Amino acid sequence: MSSHILSLLIFIPAAGALLMLIGHRFISSNGNSEDSGKTAVFHKWIAVIFTGLQLFLSIWLWVNYVPGGGIQYQEHHAWIQSFNIEYFLGVDGLSLPLIVLTALLSFIGVVSSWNIKKSVLGYFSLLLLLDTAMMGVFCSLDFFLFYVFWELMLLPMYFLIGIWGGPQRMYAAIKFFLYTLLGSVLMLLAMLALYFYTEPHTFNLIAMIQSGAAIRDTFWGMDIRMLIFVALFIGFAIKVPIVPFHTWLPLAHVEAPTAVSVILAGVLLKMGTYGLLRINYPLLPDQVYIFAWSIALLGVINIIWGALNAIAQIDLKKMVAYSSVSHMGYVLLGMAAVVSTSAAGSQAGINGAVMQMFNHGTITAMLFLLVGIIYEKVHHRYIFFPKDYKDPALAGKLAFGGLAGQLPVYSGFVALAFFAGLGLPALSGFISEAMCFIGGFSIFRTLTIIGTLGILLNAIYFLRSYMHIFLGPVSNAYEGLKDMNGRELLTIVPLAIIVIALGVYPRLMLDVISPTMNSLIKLVQDMALMVGIN
Amino acid sequence: MSNFSSIAFYLPELLLVLTILAVIVVDLIPGLKRFNWIIALAGIIFTGILLYGDYGVSESLYMGTIAADPFAHYFKWIFLIAGFFTILVSRHTHSLRDADLPEYNALLLIVVFGLFLMASATNLVTVYLGIETVSLPSYILAGILKNDRKSNEASLKYVIFGAFSSGLMIYGFSWLYGLTGSMSLSGIQQGLAGVQEPLALYMAILLVLAGFGYKISMVPFHFWTPDVYEGSPTPVTGFLSVAPKAAGFAVLMRFFYSVFTTGSMTPVAGVDWLTLIALLSAVTMTFGNLIALQQDNVKRMLAFSSIAHAGYMLMALSILSPDAIRAVMIYLTMYLFMNMGAFFMVIFAENQLDAHTVEDWKGLGRKAPFLGALTVILMMSLTGLPPSAGFVGKLYLFAVVIAGKKFYWLAIVGVLNSVVSLFYYFRIVKAMWLFNPADTKPVKAGGVITLSILLFTIPALLLGIYWTPIINLIDKSIGF
């Protein structure tokens, strides 16, 4: 089993989706496509069981992973021989946290979607298909396989936003699709260019690390390495999303159902930075040196721009969406620190970046889940009602107030999530953000100092919205609201535990990721020397 | 090879001719009239069996005017599959109920015969004969709905544009003959080696390209495409969008690689027709996609998108290498399945809902979930998203351009066009799935059309996951 564990991780959800489709025919009494109560229960439990199994396997993988042991649990099979495409899977310290994150958030996503009414079969089978694609991206070590999974994600996401989303769902779905496809087709070209420039031609990302160093060519006076780097970078930047490619994100988040927002912010955004670390960094290290300052600058822009936008929002979900833009900026700043001349600086930066990817995944998932819970209760999520609200008596007024008294448990968890989001010490976000800043400061002083303003800005919108919603005079509009139920607690509590545990004892995570990331730093710095930069 | 001994290698075509005659004769006998489609289908199946027997043959027939080579052999399979399913599906197309089916089947078979000729022609005369044998019955097929104004218009436009392009092409042939004094492709190639007038040669290339460009609906010879595709009965549209286009590419590749290319894979006499093809490719796909964006009629949208697909394939031909031929053949194979599958779905929608515009398709996915899911796969494939056949096709096309290291800009234009095409292909998906049906009128899936859609969707998906067998087959079929 151990040698096929990654395949299992990837295809267990897909098997679940298949089982749903087959089972549907047998269980639905009249054989038609509409859901009866019985089939809905069946689909929900299949989804829970299969994502639960995947989560269990991913934890098993975490426990059995040997830090510093290189790439483990490899699977290597020929796929299309004439094109040297391989089915090549493996896990290392960079992908492991994200694999666990994917499994965890998929499970939580399924549990949090328990109240879905519309086409239960379609919803859960697409969610599981999405799960398969995401897991595939993180496990693949063959560029082609990586690309296939990367693209496979788009289709279920399109439908999940487009069918189960909010009022503007169709526009949001196609905008998401077009943006990300634009990025990935550029990636396709870069992938083919890498394939044809390496000798022997290969898509194997590990083999490319060695052969990629030999790529030398110019096109219309531009270095081909730079062109490849930029094409890949734009592809990944759209996913992160890096300002100015971020405009799809708030829209998609606001329109998507809660579980999809959780997965979108928790997992999909990480793929952008994961791709940069997995592909751009080891394959084109000299370009990393050339672009490091730009990446840091973009990171700082993300931090500030995302936070300023979040401050301006009156829709709680939109605020959280923009906070994601801001938080991904920390990752970029940390990543840029790979070029730092001080070993401590570069290690803090890169390890902090990977840790921030995981931490942001858990924190933002909490935030979106909590927003989803209040939305289910009161069917809106405004901090202030907009000026053109349908009820003119309420327009522009404060929407909530004093909820803390009514919903003590809920407001407690919101406080935890908000504090984690703004980087309060002893919560996980603080550690990774601090590490990113330490890394950044060791080489980009001015930029990092500007970036730290982001912490302040983050505090503004989190604290202010907390004040408006939970503190102050009690609003009478929401009599008889119930506090969180058991199912909702089941989705929030594990994330809360992780947030606190990693905040108090970050070595749990750092020990796993740092051997891989430190060797990546060494690789980038050595290769850059070899290629002749620096 | 002499005329007489050639017959042994020309049996598939001869059987096709016999089938055509049989269909016409059976039509005259009252009691047997309704069997004509069975005869037509059986004729195609037996042609396929004979064709299978010719696998691996590489001979020059009829004194060097026709080649029975692996290249032509591969294309013949595409024509047979397209022809078979077109005849099958036509019987179940409601709009064709009043049309004269025996006549229709005979005409379709004649087109298939002409396509065979096009793919295997190695002489200016046979090239022209092949193209005309395809064109003339196509004009009638486009107008076979005698009482439908659009069908009549389609036919007339087709004739006028077809005649015009043929005229240009044959004028180009006369330049080639004048320059070299030879009618056979190999003779012309040898003759051109000594030609000192690049301008005259350039003229000939342009004129010949006009004729072939018309068949593959390349901009600026595409003007007939949207109206003909919209006006023709839908099975004919599906057939025209795939089979003659494939034949057009076959003859284009054979002609350009064996006439305008020297043995060392460089353009003849320094005439840089590769850049010309690159430019035409960029214009063709951009134009097709941008206009397709604005279409509401599904057939018209697919027509413009087929122009774009021709542009994608031309992209590979801007690089001179065997890989380019291979890539186009792969793409055509994938295109056969995904595009004809999409047209079968259009027939289904027309039959069941009388649906013509994207608007009419609203909620179709909810009414017929199985077919709706298949359509998603087909649209995904046409857009070129993995894992689908269309993606693999595009992968090979882009691979040729990137490996050529010459037209990177063309590759970028190509991928941007793919993104644009997503928008209109997914308008169909959006209409089918993201809207609720306007009424509860039931939709009956099942029967021949559903089965045909399924049969074409399976390869459109599976060939995107594992395509080694097709590659192996095509690698054996590249030799002229």
Side-chain angles (χ1 to χ4, degrees), chain B residues 268-331:
Chain B
V268 68
V271 178
D272 185 12
W273 51 266
L274 292 170
T275 308
L276 178 70
I277 297 251
L279 289 172
L280 287 172
S281 151
V283 174
T284 302
M285 60 182 140
T286 310
F287 177 86
N289 274 324
L290 290 184
I291 308 290
L293 277 180
Q294 303 158 9
Q295 303 305 317
D296 284 319
N297 182 303
V298 177
K299 263 165 90 178
R300 226 176 147 78
M301 184 193 286
L302 289 175
F304 279 108
S305 90
S306 87
I307 297 178
H309 284 285
Y312 297 137
M313 285 184 269
L314 279 175
M315 190 167 67
L317 295 182
S318 66
I319 304 292
L320 257 184
S321 83
D323 283 348
I325 299 179
R326 178 167 85 155
V328 172
M329 286 167 84
I330 293 166
Y331 198 82

Side-chain angles (χ1 to χ4, degrees), chain A residues 193-213:
Chain A
L194 280 172
Y195 174 81
F196 284 109
Y197 273 111
T198 49
E199 285 299 340
H201 299 337
T202 180
F203 286 116
N204 183 325
L205 285 172
I206 307 302
M208 265 190 198
I209 293 173
Q210 293 307 319
S211 49

Side-chain angles (χ1 to χ4, degrees), chain A residues 33 79-80 82-83 144 147 151-152 155 158-159 162-163 170 177-178 181-182 185 192-193 196-197 219-220, chain B residues 366 380 385-387 391 395-396 398-399 402-403 408 415-416 419 422 426 429-430 434-435 465-466 468 471:
Chain A
S33 59
W79 177 12
I80 304 292
S82 61
F83 222 123
F144 188 87
Y147 185 79
E151 294 270 275
L152 186 60
L155 201 66
Y158 171 80
F159 286 115
I163 298 181
M170 291 178 201
F177 208 155
L178 286 171
L181 185 67
L182 178 68
V185 292
L192 286 170
F196 284 109
Y197 273 111
F219 182 72
W220 287 354
Chain B
R366 297 289 166 82
M380 196 174 105
L385 300 173
F391 168 68
L395 175 77
Y396 277 84
F398 285 120
I402 298 282
Y408 287 123
V415 291
L416 293 182
V419 177
L422 172 82
F426 270 69
V429 173
K430 179 172 116 180
L434 269 50
F435 288 95
I465 297 167
Y466 192 69
T468 299
I471 287 289

Side-chain angles (χ1 to χ4, degrees), chain A residues 3-234:
Chain A
S3 62
H4 292 298
I5 186 163
L6 294 181
S7 287
L8 281 174
L9 270 175
I10 295 172
F11 291 108
I12 278 178
L18 200 63
L19 192 65
M20 279 182 201
L21 292 175
I22 297 167
H24 189 84
R25 275 214 107 59
F26 290 101
I27 292 179
S28 62
S29 46
N30 47 4
N32 73 10
S33 59
E34 286 309 309
D35 302 290
S36 59
K38 215 161 56 173
T39 54
V41 171
F42 171 74
H43 298 317
K44 284 174 190 169
W45 279 105
I46 290 283
V48 168
I49 291 167
F50 277 75
T51 50
L53 197 60
Q54 188 196 33
L55 178 61
F56 173 78
L57 277 181
S58 72
I59 292 168
W60 185 92
L61 189 70
W62 179 282
V63 171
N64 284 278
Y65 175 83
V66 184
I71 296 166
Q72 295 164 39
Y73 299 102
Q74 293 190 24
E75 284 180 52
H76 216 146
H77 305 286
W79 177 12
I80 304 292
Q81 268 145 344
S82 61
F83 222 123
N84 279 333
I85 300 169
E86 291 162 347
Y87 179 76
F88 181 21
L89 307 175
V91 57
D92 62 8
L94 172 58
S95 51
L96 185 62
L98 296 168
I99 288 171
V100 175
L101 183 69
T102 306
L104 178 69
L105 293 188
S106 297
F107 178 74
I108 287 175
V110 167
V111 175
S112 71
S113 315
W114 213 251
N115 290 340
I116 285 282
K117 294 278 188 299
K118 192 173 170 184
S119 319
V120 180
L121 167 67
Y123 181 84
F124 283 103
S125 54
L126 285 170
L127 206 58
L128 290 188
L129 189 61
L130 180 68
D131 187 4
T132 286
M134 294 186 302
M135 198 54 96
V137 167
F138 292 129
C139 293
S140 306
L141 289 176
D142 182 275
F143 203 162
F144 188 87
L145 191 64
F146 175 90
Y147 185 79
V148 168
F149 281 124
W150 180 281
E151 294 270 275
L152 186 60
M153 228 157 41
L154 303 183
L155 201 66
M157 209 53 173
Y158 171 80
F159 286 115
L160 284 170
I161 298 174
I163 298 181
W164 289 273
Q168 271 190 294
R169 60 184 188 272
M170 291 178 201
Y171 177 58
I174 196 70
K175 190 169 181 180
F176 163 81
F177 208 155
L178 286 171
Y179 257 75
T180 39
L181 185 67
L182 178 68
S184 45
V185 292
L186 289 176
M187 200 201 323
L188 173 72
L189 292 186
M191 175 176 94
L192 286 170
L194 280 172
Y195 174 81
F196 284 109
Y197 273 111
T198 49
E199 285 299 340
H201 299 337
T202 180
F203 286 116
N204 183 325
L205 285 172
I206 307 302
M208 265 190 198
I209 293 173
Q210 293 307 319
S211 49
I215 299 172
R216 291 246 184 335
D217 204 354
T218 53
F219 182 72
W220 287 354
M222 285 174 285
D223 187 357
I224 200 80
R225 298 175 70 89
M226 184 182 280
L227 293 178
I228 295 174
F229 187 92
V230 169
L232 286 171
F233 187 80
I234 293 175

Side-chain angles (χ1 to χ4, degrees), chain B residues 146-378:
Chain B
K146 290 172 196 129
N147 298 322
D148 184 308
R149 284 179 64 104
K150 279 194 167 169
S151 185
N152 296 341
E153 183 193 334
S155 184
L156 190 64
K157 280 200 171 147
Y158 207 4
V159 172
I160 294 170
F161 278 103
F164 180 66
S165 306
S166 295
L168 288 178
M169 181 180 65
I170 211 158
Y171 184 50
F173 284 179
S174 70
W175 280 64
L176 284 177
Y177 181 69
L179 285 168
T180 63
S182 171
M183 287 292 232
S184 81
L185 300 193
S186 54
I188 297 174
Q189 186 191 23
Q190 285 158 12
L192 285 180
V195 167
Q196 299 300 320
E197 272 100 335
L199 195 63
L201 190 55
Y202 212 91
M203 194 69 196
I205 289 175
L206 278 180
L207 290 168
V208 169
L209 202 56
F212 299 159
Y214 149 79
K215 267 279 160 261
I216 61 174
S217 52
M218 174 184 78
V219 175
F221 308 104
H222 66 282
F223 287 105
W224 59 277
T225 317
D227 290 327
V228 170
Y229 281 18
E230 189 190 344
S232 305
T234 313
V236 174
T237 310
F239 182 77
L240 288 183
S241 73
V242 171
K245 198 183 285 263
F249 269 101
V251 75
L252 178 77
M253 289 191 289
R254 190 192 286 275
F255 208 96
F256 275 70
Y257 273 74
S258 56
V259 172
F260 300 134
T261 306
T262 63
S264 53
M265 282 289 167
T266 46
V268 68
V271 178
D272 185 12
W273 51 266
L274 292 170
T275 308
L276 178 70
I277 297 251
L279 289 172
L280 287 172
S281 151
V283 174
T284 302
M285 60 182 140
T286 310
F287 177 86
N289 274 324
L290 290 184
I291 308 290
L293 277 180
Q294 303 158 9
Q295 303 305 317
D296 284 319
N297 182 303
V298 177
K299 263 165 90 178
R300 226 176 147 78
M301 184 193 286
L302 289 175
F304 279 108
S305 90
S306 87
I307 297 178
H309 284 285
Y312 297 137
M313 285 184 269
L314 279 175
M315 190 167 67
L317 295 182
S318 66
I319 304 292
L320 257 184
S321 83
D323 283 348
I325 299 179
R326 178 167 85 155
V328 172
M329 286 167 84
I330 293 166
Y331 198 82
L332 279 170
T333 313
M334 309 308 191
Y335 181 70
L336 163 76
F337 293 117
M338 59 196 187
N339 209 46
M340 282 200 80
F343 272 105
F344 294 159
M345 191 60 209
V346 175
I347 296 173
F348 177 82
E350 282 176 358
N351 276 355
Q352 298 284 338
L353 303 171
D354 196 29
H356 297 285
T357 62
V358 177
E359 203 68 4
D360 297 335
W361 283 53
K362 275 189 180 168
L364 191 55
R366 297 289 166 82
K367 284 181 168 184
F370 180 63
L371 283 176
L374 295 185
T375 312
V376 173
I377 295 172
L378 290 169

